[in-house]
Amino acid sequence: MTDPKPSSGSEKSYPETISSDPQILTHIQNYHSLLLPRSPIYAFLLSDVSIVHASRGLVRVHLPLSKLHLNSKNSLHGSVSATLVDYIGGLAVASWDSRDSSGVSTDMHLNFVGGAKEGDVIEVEGKAEKVGGSLAFVSVRIVNLGKDGKGERKVVVVGRHTKFVKV
């Protein structure tokens, strides 16, 4: 994964040419449906998530931001960003081999490089770089798509998530 371009603040997602895999997409939609009622924080923050892509090791979701996602400066809250990195990290791992459990977090790093406001749509993209017998490594990007979801893509957060996945 490359760092965002400092000059423009915009960044492309992983290759758009990768199509969703219908079986993986169905698995991720079902997995998402099981996660929300099991996690009060996910249910509270992520009930408006729409899954827009799922293929092996790659998941994208869109989330329209409301006041509950914002900090006191009316921008995307850091704790919501961390929750999104945790959430998409799990989905990316689950998409790797259609597993029903994505393990537990061992490490997360987030770099905050931009902002998003109420009414903006963000895209959260998780890419499982490696899923091994014990650990999984996921790259995450949160991108602001603007008010209508079709604006210039501006990177908000770049993250890394490591999970212990051994069963």
Side-chain angles (χ1 to χ4, degrees):
M1 178 185 288
T2 59
D3 290 331
K5 296 175 187 170
S7 59
S8 70
S10 64
E11 184 71 23
K12 296 196 186 249
S13 64
Y14 295 101
E16 294 291 337
T17 57
I18 299 172
S19 298
S20 274
D21 179 303
Q23 288 179 316
I24 295 174
L25 181 60
T26 298
H27 174 70
I28 293 303
Q29 289 168 333
N30 291 338
Y31 189 69
H32 167 84
S33 296
L34 293 173
L35 281 178
L36 262 60
R38 293 180 184 168
S39 171
I41 193 71
Y42 285 175
F44 180 68
L45 293 174
L46 306 178
S47 61
D48 291 332
V49 158
S50 58
I51 300 165
V52 297
H53 176 93
S55 57
R56 185 175 192 256
L58 179 63
V59 177
R60 285 187 200 108
V61 302
H62 287 178
L63 176 65
L65 296 181
S66 68
K67 283 200 179 291
L68 66 92
H69 300 113
L70 307 181
N71 60 23
S72 62
K73 305 292 185 209
N74 292 317
S75 189
L76 180 62
H77 199 291
S79 67
V80 174
S81 298
T83 300
L84 287 165
V85 169
D86 181 60
Y87 163 79
I88 201 73
L91 293 185
V93 170
S95 74
W96 184 262
D97 54 8
S98 295
R99 62 183 63 204
D100 293 323
S101 176
S102 63
V104 296
S105 299
T106 62
D107 190 46
M108 285 194 325
H109 292 272
L110 286 77
N111 292 310
F112 302 95
V113 297
K117 305 279 185 195
E118 182 178 6
D120 288 345
V121 176
I122 58 171
E123 179 175 83
V124 186
E125 182 173 72
K127 183 175 191 287
E129 304 288 350
K130 179 180 180 184
V131 179
S134 296
L135 294 174
F137 302 90
V138 180
S139 299
V140 177
R141 205 175 282 282
I142 300 174
V143 177
N144 187 348
L145 302 178
K147 296 280 184 216
D148 59 1
K150 297 180 193 227
E152 181 183 354
R153 303 173 61 84
K154 296 195 178 201
V155 176
V156 178
V157 175
V158 177
R160 303 277 305 159
H161 190 195
T162 306
K163 299 193 70 130
F164 180 73
V165 295
K166 190 173 186 177
V167 276

